[in-house]
């Protein structure tokens, strides 16, 4: 039987697997009480998982100084391969002083449970302001990504990691599809072109419009909402997942969409995070990636289409995944349909523009998004989650 090839190779050519074998796990557990330990925060746990399952290929651990510097300064690993966001493990100087390069370090989750191992190869200091300005384009501490950098320890630990065990996600076990599994699913379906969509918001009509435009030119959609660490005012992952399920059941063609969770943490790094998100989806086996308005943005830190322009800083084909750039979609009153300025003859006062941020604000005020913006079934789910009365029938 002829093996069907993947539609696209992982970034760097090899899908990383840093999940311990049963024998490795047993060996690590036997040493557990004698290893120095570091307690990971929620974001570091997300990063450990993403490294282990290959979502961050070709990275096999927390970055050393050479990779860190070239990523921060040039959006490349030390070997020249494009990479936009540093993946690092910060600790205090006091914690670092107790560790020696060459040691195995036990990695615990926030509850104190032993979940991974770091093969410590390097300890180094870094410039927090430089990282903030280069990665987030601001040094204002009110930016959530900058606040993380400024609030963390002054030393980075580096080295390959091992995840002791890949456990089912307790919230969404049916949608836990790792890169090796998504690639297998795409092969089984015979998909040669797969478009990925990243979101941390409930799916709305503007999302639906650009996704369906992309589906017209590809074999299938990988709907990949992020369920790792987000801001406290973002809508909860379980609510968002129910909204995606509703959309797929009622408004999308069966058999052309795979819904899976993205276990990564948000950085809110705007343009750089758009590159980061695209490369992650490349590792999952996607050939195309949707980049819309203010991708991974927060507040007014980034221009409306900065996350699209940054792709032009790389040579054609260098990233290996094709960005699909969409303008801000809106509901056109004149044509009574979703559109953008490329397709709509309407004047500005004939357009209903809403964003995920505005929807969150409406919900907090006890208001439902209008049907021109959100499908009624989805709005009803949001209303139940926010415990507000429904103002129109479904």
């Amino acid at each position: 039987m002829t093996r069907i090839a993947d539609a696209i190779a992982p970034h760097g050519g090899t899908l990383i697997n840093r999940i311990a074998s049963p024998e490795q796990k047993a060996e690590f557990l036997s040493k557990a009480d004698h290893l120095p330990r570091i307690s990971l925060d929620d974001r570091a746990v997300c990063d450990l998982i993403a490294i282990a399952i290959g979502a961050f290929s070709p990275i096999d651990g927390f970055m050393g100084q050479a990779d860190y510097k070239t990523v921060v300064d040039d959006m490349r690993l030390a070997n020249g391969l494009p990479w936009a966001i540093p993946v690092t493990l910060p600790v205090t100087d006091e914690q670092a002083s107790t560790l020696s390069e060459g040691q195995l370090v036990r990695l615990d989750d926030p509850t104190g449970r032993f979940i991974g191992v770091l093969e410590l190869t390097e300890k180094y200091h870094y410039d927090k302001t430089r990282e903030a300005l280069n990665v987030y384009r601001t040094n204002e501490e009110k930016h959530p990504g900058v606040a993380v950098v400024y609030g963390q320890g002054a030393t980075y630990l580096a080295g390959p990691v091992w995840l002791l065990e890949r456990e089912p996600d307790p919230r969404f076990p049916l949608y836990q599809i790792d890169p090796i599994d998504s690639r297998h699913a795409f092969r089984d379906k015979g998909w040669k072109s797969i478009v990925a969509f990243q979101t941390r918001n409930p799916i709305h009509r503007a999302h639906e419009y650009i996704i369906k435009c992309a589906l017209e030119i590809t074999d299938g959609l990988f709907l990949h909402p992020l369920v790792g660490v987000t801001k406290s005012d973002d809508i909860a992952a379980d609510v968002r997942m129910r909204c995606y399920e509703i959309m797929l059941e009622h408004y999308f063609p069966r058999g052309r969409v795979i819904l899976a969770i993205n276990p990564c943490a948000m950085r809110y790094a705007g343009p750089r995070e758009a590159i980061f998100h695209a490369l992650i989806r490349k590792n999952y086996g996607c050939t195309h990636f949707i980049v819309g308005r203010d991708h991974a943005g927060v507040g007014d830190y980034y221009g409306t289409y900065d996350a699209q322009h940054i792709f032009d800083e790389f040579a054609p084909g260098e990233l290996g995944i094709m960005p699909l750039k969409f303008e801000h979609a809106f509901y056109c009153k004149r044509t009574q349909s979703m559109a953008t300025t490329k397709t709509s003859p309407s004047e500005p006062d004939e357009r209903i523009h809403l964003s995920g941020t505005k929807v969150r604000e409406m919900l907090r005020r006890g208001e439902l998004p209008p049907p021109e913006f959100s499908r009624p079934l989805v709005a009803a789910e949001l209303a139940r989650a926010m415990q507000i009365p429904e103002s129109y029938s479904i």
Side-chain angles (χ1 to χ4, degrees), residues 12-27:
T14 302
L15 190 65
I16 296 298
N17 175 12
R18 301 295 293 186
I19 302 171
S21 68
E23 294 77 19
Q24 288 172 313
K25 178 182 176 182
E27 181 181 354

Side-chain angles (χ1 to χ4, degrees), residues 31-223:
K31 299 176 179 178
D33 293 337
H34 306 287
L35 296 177
R37 67 178 68 187
I38 294 295
S39 180
L40 304 182
D41 62 15
D42 289 331
R43 187 166 94 165
V45 171
C46 290
D47 287 349
L48 171 62
I49 291 171
I51 293 167
I53 65 175
F56 288 175
S57 297
I59 294 168
D60 65 359
F62 293 105
M63 286 182 175
Q65 191 169 22
D67 281 331
Y68 169 78
K69 285 186 173 181
T70 54
V71 167
V72 168
D73 292 344
D74 304 317
M75 291 194 294
R76 295 179 184 278
L77 298 172
N79 65 7
L81 195 68
W83 194 267
I85 298 286
V87 180
T88 52
L89 179 57
V91 297
T92 64
D93 286 344
E94 183 180 7
Q95 288 174 307
S97 68
T98 66
L99 305 173
S100 300
E101 294 171 358
Q103 279 185 312
L104 293 181
V105 179
R106 168 176 166 168
L107 303 177
D108 290 356
D109 71 10
T111 70
R113 190 167 62 96
F114 182 19
I115 61 168
V117 169
L118 168 70
E119 299 175 7
L120 182 61
T121 59
E122 192 177 354
K123 303 183 291 183
Y124 60 97
H125 287 106
Y126 63 102
D127 185 333
K128 293 187 178 187
T129 301
R130 188 180 188 88
E131 180 174 335
L133 289 172
N134 284 14
V135 176
Y136 298 101
R137 300 190 179 185
T138 180
N139 61 358
E140 292 186 10
E141 289 193 56
K142 65 180 182 179
H143 184 293
V146 173
V148 169
V149 173
Y150 283 1
Q152 66 193 16
T155 298
Y156 280 147
L157 304 181
V161 296
W162 291 100
L163 181 68
L164 290 192
E165 183 178 355
R166 182 62 170 128
E167 299 173 335
D169 188 286
R171 302 165 298 169
F172 315 111
L174 295 180
Y175 297 112
Q176 182 172 291
I177 302 174
D178 290 344
I180 193 170
D181 304 312
S182 58
R183 287 173 169 273
H184 183 79
F186 299 157
R187 290 197 302 269
D188 283 350
K189 288 180 173 291
W191 290 354
K192 294 297 184 183
S193 56
I194 305 100
V195 62
F197 183 70
Q198 148 74 29
T199 178
R200 71 177 198 269
N201 291 309
I203 191 168
H204 52 63
R205 294 288 297 277
H207 292 152
E208 180 186 351
Y209 174 75
I210 63 177
I211 288 170
K212 287 182 174 176
C213 287
L215 264 176
E216 291 286 0
I217 61 168
T218 55
D219 295 331
L221 166 69
F222 192 53
L223 181 57

Side-chain angles (χ1 to χ4, degrees), residues 322-384:
M322 176 68 68
L324 297 181
K325 303 175 182 179
F326 287 92
E327 290 195 3
H328 191 193
F330 52 80
Y331 184 83
C332 173
K333 295 180 182 178
R334 187 185 300 190
T335 61
Q336 298 183 11
S337 63
M338 297 301 299
T340 70
T341 55
K342 290 183 176 180
T343 57
S344 171
S346 62
E347 298 297 328
D349 62 354
E350 297 176 286
R351 302 167 187 169
I352 298 177
H353 276 290
L354 284 177
S355 67
T357 299
K358 289 182 179 178
V359 167
R360 292 193 297 273
E361 292 172 352
M362 291 179 68
L363 291 169
R364 289 189 201 101
R365 293 195 301 266
E367 303 172 15
L368 282 177
E372 294 87 357
F373 179 77
S374 184
R375 293 286 189 180
L377 288 171
V378 172
E381 181 59 41
L382 293 172
R384 283 190 287 272

